[in-house]
DNA sequence: ATGCAACCTGGAGTCCGCTCCAGGTCAAGC
DNA sequence: GCTTGACCTGGAGCGGACTCCAGGTTGCAT
């Protein structure tokens, strides 16, 4: 059963050393095993958990919610609750995507409009074209 | 030429009164017209600008960048720079979407896995099923 | 004329999610 | 055995983006 040093765990998970400690303190990650001298030794399971936590964070789950999920994971009989929490989150992610798509479209429109301005300005220097202020 | 009170501007733009003032102070929004007594009067152009600023913010453009865009908009001869800035941002948004899609998939996989667990647990109570810790 | 809500300003405070620090311990190579 | 780098802890600090506050004006309705 291979173990990983904090530095390795950080490199693999993409979290900083400080963040790893922070997550453990916050109860987001269960207490990590220690060496005789008190140094952390991350198991593969820990690494897996960290990977998923990363996924949750990158999709915008707030720390508070992560803490809740962490708490649920400390009790085997909470699968249903976890599913509920993750489903809720998945819905939030879906909404986020929709929002992003819509705004992306708007952004593209504005860009097209600007490009038009640019083209017009290049061909004929029309005096007093309406230019939005911001 | 209709003007809007701060309260109206806030309602329409979706920003809070404080945020409107904050954006103006930061030079994100150009100085808004004032009544004789010093009260702000938002023009339709202001409202339009605010709408687009909202789009930029919701797609994650940082304040610093907004400030830059605001500065560019104060000078008519900066269309090219604005296009550059917005194109850069559009690329960032694209990346963000890709990331989100990927993580969404991962989330769904986890959910499916959990649902499988749930189904298994319901039919036969298998002793010692591997349950991920987080 | 007066009451009252909406507005003004400058500056301080808040929340989130880390990140850094000081001062000390552990572990591995030479 | 000693050096050197990785690690430990508790707690303070930070950056971003607002948000709130106090104490004072403005302006519309009555």
């Amino acid at each position: 059963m291979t173990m990983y040093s904090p530095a390795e765990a950080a490199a693999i998970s993409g979290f900083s050393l400080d963040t790893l400690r922070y997550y453990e303190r916050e109860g987001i990650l269960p207490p990590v095993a220690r060496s005789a001298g008190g140094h952390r030794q991350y198991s593969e399971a820990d690494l897996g958990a960290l990977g998923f936590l990363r996924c949750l964070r990158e999709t915008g789950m707030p720390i508070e919610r992560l803490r809740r999920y962490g708490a649920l994971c400390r009790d085997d009989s909470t699968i249903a609750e976890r599913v509920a929490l993750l489903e809720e989150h998945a819905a939030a992610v879906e909404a986020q995507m929709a929002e992003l798509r819509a705004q992306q479209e708007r952004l593209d429109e504005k860009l097209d409009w600007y490009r038009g301005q640019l083209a017009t300005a290049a061909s004929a220097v029309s005096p007093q074209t309406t230019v939005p202020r911001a």
Side-chain angles (χ1 to χ4, degrees), chain A:
Chain A
M1 200 216 255
T2 351
M3 291 304 208
Y4 300 85
S5 75
E8 287 166 337
I12 296 170
S13 70
F15 290 116
S16 76
L17 287 170
D18 272 318
T19 300
L20 290 180
R21 292 195 266 260
Y22 168 66
Y23 279 10
E24 194 177 339
R25 241 184 302 150
E26 293 294 299
I28 290 168
L29 198 63
V32 172
R34 301 300 184 106
S35 73
H39 287 196
R40 284 177 183 78
Q41 295 181 297
Y42 292 84
S43 70
E44 256 148 58
D46 288 329
L47 268 283
L50 282 171
F52 188 56
L53 287 177
R54 187 149 198 79
C55 164
L56 294 180
R57 272 307 289 136
E58 288 192 342
T59 48
M61 182 180 284
I63 292 297
E64 165 61 38
R65 218 88 181 102
L66 249 57
R67 206 195 325 272
R68 173 102 182 98
Y69 182 67
L72 288 178
C73 287
R74 292 180 60 211
D75 177 350
D76 278 7
S77 64
T78 60
I79 312 278
E81 282 104 314
R82 287 183 231 172
V83 168
L85 190 153
L86 293 184
E87 273 173 349
E88 203 178 312
H89 182 59
V93 171
E94 191 58 55
Q96 204 185 327
M97 287 270 291
E99 179 71 20
L100 208 50
R101 259 193 300 271
Q103 302 294 12
Q104 186 178 39
E105 208 164 309
R106 178 158 191 192
L107 183 54
D108 283 347
E109 274 166 31
K110 187 77 160 193
L111 259 169
D112 279 352
W113 181 87
Y114 264 136
R115 290 205 192 91
Q117 288 299 107
L118 220 47
T120 309
S123 56
V125 183
S126 61
Q128 281 308 87
T129 311
T130 317
V131 174
R133 291 163 69 202

